[in-house]
Amino acid sequence: MTEETTETIVHDDARHAEKMAKKKAARDKIMATKVGEKGLIIVNTGKGKGKSTAGFGMIFRHIAHGMPCAVVQFIKGAMETGERDLIDRHFADLCEFHTMGEGFTWETQDRARDVAAAQAAWAKAKDLISSGEKSMVLLDEINIALRYDYLDVAEVIAFLQNEKPPMCHVVMTGRNAKDELIEIADLVTEMELIKHPFRSGIKGQKGVEF
């Protein structure tokens, strides 16, 4: 390595260090203003994969911190899932798991039955949230129940705004989240679909989809 090359590297390292120091100072200034805490309304929606997966990621974070939480599944039925099996076997003391759905709407083909299941799931969700005992409640696929008007979105919003305990996080997943729900949410993520193996004839696989 020549002397000129060494000087160039030292100069570049110094510029990088200076740039990062300025960036850190700016970041620290911003972070100093972020001191509030509240129970968040979180919406994961969009056509892409990962909405429920992201929700369960937060549930497992709660479990790891020893924080009580719960899951209510609005659509998924008796199908085996890795998340439910793991929680029921090892973390039932920290996380209640309620599978209230009977499968996707094209499987049941019975609107009255689907509405009744969604209403029962919502009643359970309200009990869990309003109890004040849970730090987080995941309402898995509730957006689908709202999309098909199995639940009244105005009622759901009124409950979240007026009856949710201040420090309880509520995570709501599923495609086609209602605009009204997005409006009141604190955190909204839209999963974008770019590629999916299903389009190439690959079925849902254990450990990836369930």
Side-chain angles (χ1 to χ4, degrees), residues 105 108-118 145 147-151:
T105 54
T108 61
Q109 300 177 24
D110 186 336
R111 178 176 171 80
R113 185 171 158 184
D114 289 338
V115 170
R147 174 191 179 188
Y148 288 111
D149 297 321
Y150 297 163
L151 302 173

Side-chain angles (χ1 to χ4, degrees), residues 9 34 47 67 72 78 110 113 147 165-166 171 179 181 194:
I9 292 173
K34 312 301 181 185
K47 295 181 179 179
M67 302 166 72
V72 179
D110 186 336
R113 185 171 158 184
R147 174 191 179 188
V171 185
D179 291 339
L181 191 62
I194 297 177

Side-chain angles (χ1 to χ4, degrees), residues 196-206 208-210:
H196 198 293
F198 187 77
R199 292 179 173 178
S200 302
I202 307 299
K203 68 178 183 178
Q205 299 176 85
K206 183 180 290 189
V208 180
E209 273 78 25
F210 58 92

